[in-house]
Amino acid sequence: MPVDDLPDAVPVLLAGGGPVGLAAAVELGRRGVECLVVEPRVTVSTARPRCKTLNVRTMEHLRRWGLAERLRERAPLPVGWSQDVVFCTSLAGWELSRFTGVLGLAPDGDRFAELGQQAPQYVLEETLREAVDDLDACRLALGARVTELEQIDDFVVVTIETAAGESKVVRAEYVLGCDGPRSTVRDRIGSAYVGDEALRPNFGMVFTCPELNTLTRHGPAVQYWVVNPSAPALVGPLDQAGTWWAIAFGVDRETGEREARALIDAVAGRPVAATVVSTDPWTARMQIADRMRDRRVFLAGDAAHLNPPFGGHGLNTGVADAVDLGWKLAAVLGGWAGPGLLDSYEAERRPVQERVIAAATANMRVLSTELLADNLEDDDAAGAGAREAAGARIQKTKKAEFHSLDLVLGLRIDESPVLPSDGGVAAGARLPHAFLDDGRSLYDVLGPDHTLLVLKENTGEERIADAAREYGFPLHVTDLTGTGYAQQASAALLLVRPDQVVAWSGPASPADAGALLDVVRGAR
C-alpha cells in the first residue's frame, strides 16, 4: 500500500495481520470501529502452515461472525474425513494405539455449537482477510510494517514503513501488537518474554507424496505419530491430494536439510517418491510476556505468549485474545464502558494463557522419542508384547492431548474487575451451550453485544433493561421462558457478554441494576 493511501489517524491500529490481528479487526469492524491492519506479507504464505487445528471455541467465534461455513468449504479435509489420531511404527508398519473422536471433531450432544476443524493456517488467514476487506470500517495495509511507536497523552504515534522504503506517521487511539514472537510492539513498550525454551530441536517440513494416501495401513487420520528410531516423528495430511506436513523430533536444521528424504522414507516405512516443499526448523518455547499492556498499547497472540504446539492450542488462544480485546475496545470507544473494562484484559487472559502453556508443556513430555522401545517392529511374541506395552503407555500419557474439551470449554475467569463478586455460580464461565426446542443453537439467539437471557417469569428483568437504556449500554433481551433450556436452568436471569461468557447470573434482577452494569462495563 502506498503511504499516501494510509490514513493520518485511526481509532485502532493493529500491528500484524496474521490470524490474531485479523480476528481482532473482524471483532472491531463488525462493531463499526475503524481500524488499520498493518501486515508485511502481501500474500498469505502457504509454504509453512504451522497451525492446523481450529478448536470448537474458535469455530464458535467464526460462527458468530458468519464465517464458519465459509471456512469449512475451503478446508482441504472435511470434518467427516477422519476424527482419529494413530500411533504406529510407520505408515506401512504396525499400529500401536489409536484415539477416536479427537480435538472436538466429533459431536458431543449439546456441548458446543460448532465442531472443530482441521485446516491449514493459511485457510483461516485467507477467510479472515476477505472478511476484513468486506468491512467498511477496516483497512488492510499489506506490504508494510510498524517500526516505531510512541505514546503521547491520549494517542499513540506509530511509524509505518512500506516495502518500498517509504514511511508515514499515523496517530492511533489504541494499538494492538499482534506481530508475533519477534514483536516490535512488545519491544517498544519495554515488555519481554519470561519462561523457558526447550533444548531439543525439531525439524518441520511440508512435502508432497501422493502414494502415502494408499500406502498407509491405518486408514485416514488427522495425525500419525511415528515411533521408530530412524524417524520419531509426527505427520499428517494437509489435503487429500498428497500434501503432507511432518515434524521430526530431535532433528536439527543441518541434519534435517541433509536427510529430509530419508526421514520421509522412514516415516512411510519404505522408499517413496516425495518432493520437499518447505522446511521449518524450530524449538519449543514456553514463554509469556511480563506485561501485556502499556497504557494504550496491548499485546495479543504470539506477541504475548508462546507454547509448544502439542494439543493445538496456540493459534486458538490468540484468537480468544483478539475477541476479548476487540469487544472491550469497541465498548470503550463507543462511550458506554469505563476504563476498568480494558483493565480486565490482562487480568482475564493471563491465567488462561498460563494454563494453556502448562497443558501444552505437559503434552510435550511424551513424544515419539519417549515411546521408542525394543522389538516394536518384530513379528513375533516379543514384538506383540512390546506393542501392547507401548499402546498402554500411549493411552495413559496422551489421552489428555487429544481429548481436551475440558480445557477448551472449561477455562473460567476466576477473578476480574468486571465480574461482580456476587455474580452467581455461572459468572466467568462460557455460557453452557444447548440446541433449543426449534433446533437453533442457543448462541444464535444472543445479540451482538450483551444479552440478558430471561429463563423464569417475574424476575424484574425490566430493571436491568431500564438501567441499560439509561447508560446507553447495548443490551439484547432474549426471553426463553417455557423452553426446555429454561426448565433445566438453575438461574432465572443470565447476563451474557459478547464473547459468550456469563457476566452475572441470579434468581432475579438486583434492586440496584445500575450498580451491576457499572461493574460489568468497567465503570467501577
Side-chain angles (χ1 to χ4, degrees):
M1 173 180 284
V3 292
D4 291 342
D5 293 340
L6 293 172
D8 295 321
V10 67
V12 180
L13 187 145
L14 299 106
V20 175
L22 293 169
V26 172
E27 191 71 38
L28 288 159
R30 284 172 54 86
R31 302 176 188 283
V33 177
E34 293 183 20
C35 58
L36 176 68
V37 182
V38 182
E39 168 56 43
R41 296 168 301 147
V42 175
T43 59
V44 172
S45 172
T46 61
R48 294 179 176 87
R50 292 182 175 178
C51 303
K52 292 160 282 288
T53 298
L54 303 182
N55 69 23
V56 296
R57 278 302 285 148
T58 295
M59 292 305 300
E60 285 176 342
H61 290 308
L62 286 165
R63 179 189 184 105
R64 184 166 55 85
W65 297 330
L67 301 176
E69 287 309 310
R70 187 190 302 185
L71 181 134
R72 291 195 196 279
E73 289 170 1
R74 293 179 166 181
L77 298 177
V79 175
W81 184 78
S82 178
Q83 299 91 37
D84 288 4
V85 167
V86 171
F87 287 72
C88 54
T89 59
S90 69
L91 296 185
W94 295 94
E95 183 168 318
L96 303 174
S97 193
R98 177 183 295 260
F99 295 92
T100 62
V102 300
L103 303 171
L105 298 174
D108 190 5
D110 280 5
R111 197 171 183 189
F112 38 83
E114 290 282 344
L115 294 171
Q117 176 69 58
Q118 290 295 112
Q121 179 173 319
Y122 60 78
V123 173
L124 176 61
E125 285 196 47
E126 289 168 349
T127 302
L128 291 177
R129 275 197 183 190
E130 284 187 4
V132 170
D133 278 334
D134 290 341
L135 292 167
D136 292 338
C138 297
R139 297 181 67 181
L140 275 171
L142 302 176
R145 67 177 67 244
V146 170
T147 58
E148 295 290 343
L149 62 84
E150 180 183 5
Q151 300 194 63
I152 301 175
D153 298 329
D154 295 333
F155 55 88
V156 187
V157 178
V158 183
T159 302
I160 299 172
E161 185 174 307
T162 69
E166 301 176 298
S167 63
K168 179 169 181 175
V169 172
V170 176
R171 283 197 344 177
E173 294 183 58
Y174 294 96
V175 170
L176 273 60
C178 308
D179 48 348
R182 293 180 291 274
S183 171
T184 297
V185 174
R186 186 184 62 248
D187 179 66
R188 296 303 184 268
I189 67 171
S191 177
Y193 285 138
V194 293
D196 299 317
E197 184 170 354
L199 298 177
R200 180 166 56 190
N202 303 290
F203 188 77
M205 58 180 154
V206 173
F207 63 93
T208 57
C209 184
E211 66 182 285
L212 283 190
N213 294 335
T214 55
L215 172 68
T216 177
R217 297 174 54 185
H218 316 297
V222 295
Q223 295 179 10
Y224 301 89
W225 288 71
V226 176
V227 184
N228 73 51
S230 299
L234 170 59
V235 301
L238 281 174
D239 56 35
Q240 299 178 66
T243 308
W244 292 71
W245 57 271
I247 300 171
F249 302 124
V251 176
D252 60 28
R253 178 190 296 270
E254 182 179 351
T255 304
E257 298 285 358
R258 185 180 64 248
E259 304 291 341
R261 289 293 302 278
L263 289 168
I264 295 170
D265 289 347
V267 163
R270 73 179 194 200
V272 293
T275 300
V276 177
V277 175
S278 65
T279 59
D280 184 22
W282 58 275
T283 55
R285 297 167 65 179
M286 298 71 75
Q287 298 174 333
I288 192 166
D290 54 11
R291 58 189 176 119
M292 297 177 194
R293 179 188 182 184
D294 178 23
R295 291 166 289 169
R296 291 178 170 265
V297 180
F298 298 81
L299 302 175
D302 286 353
H305 48 85
L306 296 169
N307 59 261
F310 308 107
H313 300 299
L315 178 148
N316 297 286
T317 306
V319 170
D321 296 343
V323 169
D324 188 283
L325 264 176
W327 78 260
K328 290 174 179 176
L329 278 171
V332 171
L333 289 165
W336 58 266
L341 191 59
L342 294 180
D343 293 339
S344 72
Y345 169 66
E346 185 164 356
E348 293 187 358
R349 294 303 302 160
R350 179 175 288 275
V352 171
Q353 296 156 358
E354 290 175 340
R355 185 175 170 189
V356 165
I357 292 171
T361 304
N363 293 338
M364 188 174 63
R365 292 191 183 115
V366 177
L367 303 179
S368 299
T369 41
E370 282 68 52
L371 296 169
L372 295 172
D374 294 337
N375 308 118
L376 285 178
E377 297 187 86
D378 293 348
D379 189 9
D380 55 20
R387 289 189 289 275
E388 182 179 0
R393 185 180 182 197
I394 289 164
Q395 288 294 320
K396 179 180 179 179
T397 60
K398 300 300 281 183
K399 181 178 180 180
E401 181 169 342
F402 309 115
H403 295 284
S404 58
L405 286 177
D406 286 345
L407 175 66
V408 172
L409 302 178
L411 289 172
R412 184 181 184 126
I413 303 166
D414 292 322
E415 293 185 16
S416 170
V418 295
L419 290 176
S421 58
D422 57 349
V425 295
R430 165 183 169 270
L431 175 69
H433 177 262
F435 290 102
L436 302 177
D437 301 341
D438 59 6
R440 288 181 298 168
S441 163
L442 171 65
Y443 290 175
D444 292 345
V445 304
L446 303 178
D449 295 293
H450 283 74
T451 299
L452 183 64
L453 290 178
V454 182
L455 305 176
K456 310 293 182 186
E457 296 180 348
N458 303 316
T459 58
E461 69 272 11
E462 65 278 358
R463 288 196 293 271
I464 296 177
D466 289 344
R469 280 191 292 272
E470 179 183 347
Y471 289 148
F473 180 99
L475 181 68
H476 180 80
V477 179
T478 297
D479 190 336
L480 295 179
T481 57
T483 64
Y485 183 81
Q487 292 170 6
Q488 297 177 19
S490 57
L493 292 173
L494 289 170
L495 182 61
V496 185
R497 305 187 333 182
D499 53 6
Q500 299 164 342
V501 168
V502 177
W504 170 87
S505 66
S509 170
D512 190 349
L516 166 63
L517 296 189
D518 276 346
V519 173
V520 170
R521 67 193 182 99
R524 285 194 177 184

